[in-house]
């Protein structure tokens, strides 16, 4: 039987390849995945009475309209309607694709669904609905039919309970959802819901309305002085040379693009006289118009109020264009109006529309410099990208500075974005230096905490968003940062905001790329193409090319002849998407592959092999396995943990050796324990060593171990009591010591 992973020809009857250790029946890409999602439940109250009062066909027509509205609203906010059950609808946000702000999307959808049903003349008060929204981890099982999936998990049950507890026309959301979407919504006071099937009350908040987020107490800018200087340098060139420039700030989420531009705009008045600044926010969902972000640009440049009636807005726009003293002002104004949905006729000529925008921006800049900021340009339409590049083609004097803030996905869509232009600058924000991140963390904590700061610095790896969210999560969870155990737990828990942001990037990958990061995450921070192919034969032959594509997408980097995740949190989120059965299989396969390759290098790889066997052994209790498989994995884990402990002890790393021996004791069979406790005693000290020697002596006697082994253990115990007595809390009496000496003789 030839192995698909390594080509080794095996004799029949083997379960694992003798060449690389991979199971012959290696699973294909998993049909299950763990996800962080937000669930929305909507239910009609009083539907039973409605069915009694109306003809069945009338009831069916009402519910069909309600379902249509629900599907439209959910889809517009990037969610998926999972199912309709009677008079209830369930939608999920974050599946099959995460967006980074799925909690906020779900809350926006809940408010819009409620308001549209309530305002509908046919539904209105006849179909009062109540809604529940909750965020949490689920397991998604993909069905053979594309787009179909089944989701299970407590987050689904809680969302249903919240909906049942809500009043008609009310929205109740879980505490976790409110925390993830904080800043853009107003909530009522916290309430506790006695939910059926829950041992403790569910904490929830009534959702009241959307609000404009008003940033208060802006965090100082840390570590971006050079990037800020580059922006200011280009701005000075724009003003002095009077020609347009496009600056692209391209970096992953959380690197501080928006905060850098905020600081730049604060300093802009010192660089230019009375500049006109317009900020366009590209939306990830709900775009009704191709050029929707240009609406805010037009409002800012013209002074049109966003709430103005269409007729008034058109009149104000025409007056502004005429005041610019350009040719054909009426036609130009009509083209601008059509761009943002204020036009009264269609405009089939896209070139004319682009020219109209360039003309008015240039004309406006002759009166005062114009600065246009496009946030999240990677979410924009193709037509908007075309328009931005068209406007930046210089035609004489025009002090126009355009800032495009985007994630690397923009370059996936437009590899040649801005290329070849003399008036184009691209800035790729690098991770912050450790000192800058430390300053940010200390500012957020509000007090010096060197040890805690260093741990958050290490975890965030130069990403200011990650650092800030980790600190805020700790402050929300812990009444006191002096609680060492609580701090440890909080640091180990990935904030929902960070997890959602990383997951949104992973969901943009092709299936093979996504599978590679999942399998690579099993190895840890670093992985090799040969290891990936051994664990997942479907990746054989293409792992290197796939990894190179991920290097281009800035998710991994080359490292030590292989590849490494660009950020440790990318690895963690990738790993968390794997269900436990997949983790068990992959860790067991990784251990066998490393074990096979360790011949002659056992000491070098002992700890790594032990890690994978230990992970597989700890997962075996949660996976449906035969007892033979469980025993096999546990025995291998004990063997390699013991070898790892011996290697660490030989290098005078007693703490690590003790950790390995304790792990082996937890997994070991009774026959393994006497020797393991003795090894633990030798690398420990004080009371821990005495306790381990005591257990070793007792177990050796019970197991009938040779007398020389019992003597060795007894001698070690006597040495602890006599030569290292200062490290032992309780020292036996002289009579007890004499009895031990006599037994030894």
């Amino acid at each position: 039987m030839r192995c698909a992973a390594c080509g080794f020809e095996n004799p029949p009857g083997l379960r694992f390849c003798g060449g690389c250790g991979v199971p012959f029946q290696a699973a294909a890409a998993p049909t299950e995945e763990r996800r962080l999602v937000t669930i929305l439940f909507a239910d009609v109250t009083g539907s039973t009475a409605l069915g009694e009062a109306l003809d069945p066909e009338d009831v069916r027509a009402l519910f069909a309209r309600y379902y249509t509205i629900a599907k439209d609203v959910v889809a517009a906010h990037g969610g998926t309607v999972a199912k309709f059950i009677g008079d209830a609808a369930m939608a999920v946000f974050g599946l099959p694709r995460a967006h980074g702000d799925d909690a906020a999307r779900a809350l926006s959808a809940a408010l819009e669904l409620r308001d549209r049903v309530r305002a509908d003349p046919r539904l209105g008060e006849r179909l009062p609905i109540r809604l529940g929204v909750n965020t949490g981890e689920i397991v998604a099982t993909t069905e053979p039919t594309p787009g179909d999936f089944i989701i299970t998990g407590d987050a689904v049950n809680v969302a249903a309970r919240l909906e049942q507890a809500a009043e008609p026309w009310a929205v109740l959301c879980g505490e976790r959802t409110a925390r993830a979407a904080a800043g853009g919504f107003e909530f009522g006071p916290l309430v506790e819901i006695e939910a059926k099937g829950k041992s403790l009350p569910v904490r929830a908040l009534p959702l009241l309305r959307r609000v404009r987020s008003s940033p208060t107490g802006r965090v100082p800018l840390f570590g971006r002085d050079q990037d800020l200087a580059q922006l200011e340098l280009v701005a000075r060139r724009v003003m002095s040379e009077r020609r347009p420039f496009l600056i692209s700030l391209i970096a992953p989420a959380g690197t501080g693009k928006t905060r850098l531009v905020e600081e730049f705009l604060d300093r802009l008045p010192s660089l230019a006289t009375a500049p006109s600044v317009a900020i366009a926010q590209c939306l990830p969902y709900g775009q009704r118009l191709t050029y929707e972000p240009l609406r805010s640009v037009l409002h800012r440049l013209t002074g049109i109020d966003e709430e103005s009636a269409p007729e008034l807005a058109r009149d104000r726009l025409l007056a502004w264009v005429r005041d610019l003293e350009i040719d054909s002002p009426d036609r130009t104004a009509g083209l601008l109006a059509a761009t943002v949905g204020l036009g009264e006729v269609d405009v089939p000529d896209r070139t004319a529309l682009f020219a109209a925008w360039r003309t008015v921006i240039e004309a406006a800049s002759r009166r005062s410099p114009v600065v246009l900021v496009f946030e999240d340009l990677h979410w924009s339409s193709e037509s908007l990208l075309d328009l931005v590049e068209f406007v930046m083609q210089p035609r004489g004097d025009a002090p126009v500075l355009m800032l495009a803030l985007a994630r690397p996905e923009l370059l996936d869509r437009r590899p040649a974005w801005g290329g070849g232009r003399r008036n184009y600058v691209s800035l790729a924000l690098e991770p912050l230096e450790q000192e800058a991140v430390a300053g940010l963390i200390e500012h957020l904590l509000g007090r010096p905490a060197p040890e805690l700061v260093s741990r958050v610095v290490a975890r965030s790896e130069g990403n200011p968003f990650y650092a800030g969210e980790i600190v805020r999560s700790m402050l929300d969870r812990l009444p006191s940062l002096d609680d060492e155990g609580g701090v440890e737990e909080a640091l180990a828990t990935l904030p929902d905001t960070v997890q959602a942001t990383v997951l949104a990037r992973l969901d943009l990958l092709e299936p093979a790329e996504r599978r590679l990061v999942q399998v690579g995450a099993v190895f840890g921070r670093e992985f090799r193409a040969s290891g990936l192919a051994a664990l997942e034969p479907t990746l054989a032959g293409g792992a290197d090319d796939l990894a190179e594509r991920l290097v281009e997408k800035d998710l991994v980097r080359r490292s030590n002849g292989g590849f490494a995740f660009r950020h440790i949190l990318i690895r963690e989120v990738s790993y968390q998407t794997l269900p436990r059965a997949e983790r068990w299989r992959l860790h067991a396969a990784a251990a066998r592959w490393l074990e096979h390759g360790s011949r002659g290098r056992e000491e070098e790889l002992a700890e790594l092999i032990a890690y994978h066997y230990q992970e597989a052994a700890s997962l075996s209790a949660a996976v449906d396995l035969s007892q033979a498989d469980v025993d096999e994995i546990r025995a291998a884990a004990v063997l390699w943990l013991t070898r790892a402990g011996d290697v660490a002890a030989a290098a005078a790393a007693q703490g690590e050796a003790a950790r390995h021996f304790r792990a082996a004791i937890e997994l070991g069979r009774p026959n393994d324990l006497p020797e393991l406790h003795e090894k633990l005693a030798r690398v420990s000290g004080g009371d821990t060593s005495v306790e381990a020697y005591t257990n070793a002596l007792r177990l050796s006697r019970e197991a009938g171990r040779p007398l020389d082994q019992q003597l060795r253990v007894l001698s070690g115990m006597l040495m602890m009591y006599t030569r290292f007595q200062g490290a032992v809390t309780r020292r036996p009496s002289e009579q007890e010591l004499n009895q031990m000496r006599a037994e030894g003789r």
Side-chain angles (χ1 to χ4, degrees):
M1 183 182 301
R2 183 177 295 277
C3 176
C6 70
F8 186 79
E9 191 67 42
N10 292 270
L14 293 182
R15 294 169 55 204
F16 301 97
C17 173
C20 65
V22 172
F24 285 122
Q25 299 300 321
T31 58
E32 290 187 350
E33 189 171 276
R34 297 174 70 99
R35 305 278 299 194
L36 175 70
V37 300
T38 299
I39 306 294
L40 182 153
F41 262 99
D43 178 34
V44 176
T45 61
S47 59
T48 303
L50 186 71
E52 185 179 25
L54 297 178
D55 184 85
E57 291 189 23
D58 294 332
V59 174
R60 181 172 177 272
L62 288 175
F63 276 95
R65 185 168 181 78
Y66 160 57
Y67 294 154
T68 299
I69 293 175
K71 282 192 277 191
D72 288 347
V73 169
V74 169
H77 289 80
T80 304
V81 174
K83 53 187 171 182
F84 292 109
I85 314 167
D87 56 4
M90 185 183 88
V92 57
F93 293 80
L95 185 72
R97 177 183 164 189
H99 303 87
D101 60 346
D102 288 298
R105 291 166 181 258
L107 295 182
S108 295
L111 291 174
E112 184 177 338
L113 174 58
R114 180 196 65 184
D115 294 344
R116 283 186 58 179
V117 171
R118 198 171 194 172
D120 189 279
R122 291 175 55 190
L123 302 179
E125 295 300 327
R126 304 176 79 178
L127 245 66
I129 63 173
R130 56 188 181 184
L131 303 99
V133 185
N134 188 54
T135 300
E137 289 80 16
I138 55 93
V139 174
T141 304
T142 305
E143 295 293 299
T145 305
D148 288 348
F149 50 81
I150 300 172
I151 58 175
T152 55
D154 189 55
V156 180
N157 302 328
V158 171
R161 297 292 180 262
L162 292 175
E163 171 262 304
Q164 293 163 6
E167 297 293 327
W169 303 119
V171 182
L172 265 183
C173 67
E175 192 176 27
R176 196 167 170 179
T177 306
R179 187 163 53 241
F185 300 88
E186 182 182 345
F187 302 95
L190 183 72
V191 296
E192 292 191 342
I193 307 298
E194 295 292 340
K196 181 181 177 182
K198 302 291 292 182
S199 57
L200 296 174
V202 175
R203 294 161 64 88
L205 297 95
L207 174 62
L208 303 181
R209 61 185 66 85
R210 286 194 68 100
V211 295
R212 284 185 177 274
S213 54
S214 52
T216 58
R218 182 188 292 176
V219 176
L221 186 68
F222 289 92
R224 295 295 185 203
D225 293 344
Q226 298 303 318
D227 300 304
L228 184 59
Q230 282 190 277
L231 293 181
E232 292 179 342
L233 177 62
V234 174
R236 289 191 179 94
R237 291 192 63 183
V238 169
M239 308 312 164
S240 61
E241 299 175 12
R242 299 188 63 79
R243 64 188 180 97
F245 261 88
L246 169 63
I247 302 178
S248 292
L249 289 174
I250 299 179
T255 47
K257 299 183 293 293
T258 299
R259 181 66 192 89
L260 174 62
V261 170
E262 286 176 347
E263 194 74 15
F264 167 72
L265 294 179
D266 285 346
R267 300 189 185 196
L268 190 59
S270 66
L271 307 175
T273 304
S276 297
V277 179
I279 299 176
Q281 178 67 62
C282 299
L283 300 176
Y285 63 95
Q287 294 187 3
R288 298 293 188 268
L289 298 167
T290 304
Y291 303 106
E292 174 68 20
L294 293 177
R295 181 186 297 274
S296 57
V297 172
L298 205 58
H299 287 159
R300 176 65 182 83
L301 294 178
T302 62
I304 300 174
D305 188 275
E306 293 185 17
E307 304 299 326
S308 297
E311 299 81 6
L312 181 61
R314 281 193 293 268
D315 292 343
R316 179 71 186 87
L317 174 60
L318 179 58
W320 177 74
V321 173
R322 286 174 176 171
D323 189 50
L324 292 177
E325 299 178 355
I326 61 176
D327 296 336
S328 307
D330 291 20
R331 183 171 183 272
T332 299
L335 290 168
L336 297 181
T339 310
V340 296
L342 291 173
E344 298 178 295
V345 295
D346 292 334
V347 181
D349 187 354
R350 196 175 79 146
T351 303
L353 188 146
F354 285 9
W357 273 95
R358 184 169 64 179
T359 297
V360 297
I361 289 174
E362 289 176 348
S365 72
R366 296 188 189 103
R367 300 190 172 188
S368 64
V370 173
V371 177
L372 305 178
V373 180
F374 287 89
E375 289 215 56
D376 296 318
L377 194 62
H378 51 278
W379 280 329
S380 72
S381 66
E382 294 294 332
S383 294
L384 181 57
L385 293 177
D386 292 340
L387 188 148
V388 170
E389 291 196 300
F390 185 90
V391 169
M392 283 296 99
Q393 296 173 8
R395 295 190 310 175
D397 294 349
V400 178
L401 176 59
M402 191 173 292
L403 296 167
L405 282 63
R407 298 179 189 173
E409 295 93 274
L410 175 63
L411 299 182
D412 293 339
R413 296 171 56 189
R414 295 286 179 99
W417 171 255
R421 300 185 185 280
R422 291 185 296 117
N423 60 333
Y424 174 69
V425 175
S426 178
L427 296 181
L429 298 189
E430 297 298 325
L432 290 180
E433 296 293 333
Q434 290 190 357
E435 294 78 5
V437 181
L440 169 64
I441 295 166
E442 191 164 301
H443 174 84
L444 293 173
L445 290 174
R447 66 179 177 92
E451 184 178 349
L452 179 58
V453 168
S454 65
R455 292 163 73 183
V456 178
V457 166
R459 186 147 171 75
S460 58
E461 294 188 355
N463 188 300
F465 170 71
Y466 295 166
E469 291 304 298
I470 291 169
V471 171
R472 293 184 182 97
S473 177
M474 284 196 299
L475 295 175
D476 287 343
R477 291 169 178 268
L478 300 176
S480 170
L481 293 178
D482 297 322
D483 176 8
E484 181 61 29
V487 167
E488 197 69 39
E489 182 181 351
L491 280 171
T493 304
L494 199 61
D496 289 348
T497 46
V498 174
Q499 186 173 350
T501 300
V502 176
L503 192 58
R505 287 193 73 189
L506 298 180
D507 282 349
L508 294 174
L509 300 177
E510 297 294 326
E513 297 170 341
R514 177 65 177 272
R515 187 58 180 161
L516 186 145
V517 298
Q518 287 180 315
V519 177
V522 172
F523 284 103
R525 183 68 180 266
E526 296 187 356
F527 56 88
R528 292 179 179 271
S530 56
L532 298 174
L535 268 61
E536 189 66 82
T538 58
L539 297 174
D544 268 314
D545 291 338
L546 287 171
E548 290 293 344
R549 279 156 54 179
L550 294 173
V551 170
E552 295 174 2
K553 295 180 178 181
D554 206 32
L555 286 167
V556 304
R557 55 181 170 79
R558 297 176 189 85
S559 174
N560 299 324
F563 300 91
F565 286 98
R566 176 66 67 178
H567 198 288
I568 187 60
L569 297 183
I570 298 175
R571 182 265 164 187
E572 290 188 22
V573 174
S574 301
Y575 184 77
Q576 288 175 6
T577 62
L578 291 168
R580 289 180 299 191
E582 269 294 288
R583 295 182 193 180
W584 175 86
R585 183 187 72 81
L586 292 171
H587 277 298
R592 293 189 181 100
W593 176 71
L594 288 166
E595 187 176 14
H596 172 75
S598 71
R599 293 166 188 169
R601 300 192 300 142
E602 288 85 355
E603 291 189 356
E604 180 185 344
L605 297 175
E607 289 187 307
L608 193 54
I609 297 170
Y611 162 75
H612 286 292
Y613 271 128
Q614 184 184 2
E615 288 296 305
S618 64
L619 288 163
S620 60
V623 181
D624 186 17
L625 299 172
S626 68
Q627 190 59 47
D629 285 334
V630 173
D631 292 343
E632 179 186 349
I633 288 294
R634 290 172 70 97
V638 171
L639 170 66
W640 282 98
L641 283 166
T642 304
R643 298 183 75 166
D646 290 338
V647 170
Q654 280 81 6
E656 288 72 15
R659 186 173 66 248
H660 293 316
F661 291 138
R662 287 194 190 95
I665 288 169
E666 290 180 6
L667 296 171
R669 297 164 296 187
N671 195 50
D672 302 322
L673 299 183
E675 289 75 20
L676 290 173
H677 278 286
E678 182 182 357
K679 286 177 178 290
L680 175 61
R682 289 178 183 173
V683 298
S684 303
D687 294 335
T688 302
S689 183
V690 169
E691 181 184 1
Y693 272 128
T694 302
N695 289 331
L697 183 59
R698 175 180 55 81
L699 293 168
S700 295
R701 288 169 174 166
E702 292 174 357
R705 288 292 196 266
L707 290 178
D708 60 343
Q709 180 176 338
Q710 296 183 38
L711 174 61
R712 187 175 65 240
V713 175
L714 183 58
S715 299
M717 188 185 304
L718 276 166
M719 185 171 61
M720 287 301 304
Y721 282 139
T722 55
R723 297 177 63 180
F724 302 103
Q725 53 184 302
V728 179
T729 303
R730 179 192 173 278
R731 187 173 183 273
S733 66
E734 195 62 31
Q735 181 180 0
E736 290 173 321
L737 286 174
N738 286 333
Q739 288 176 349
M740 293 171 67
R741 293 189 185 102
E743 183 180 358
R745 284 193 292 271

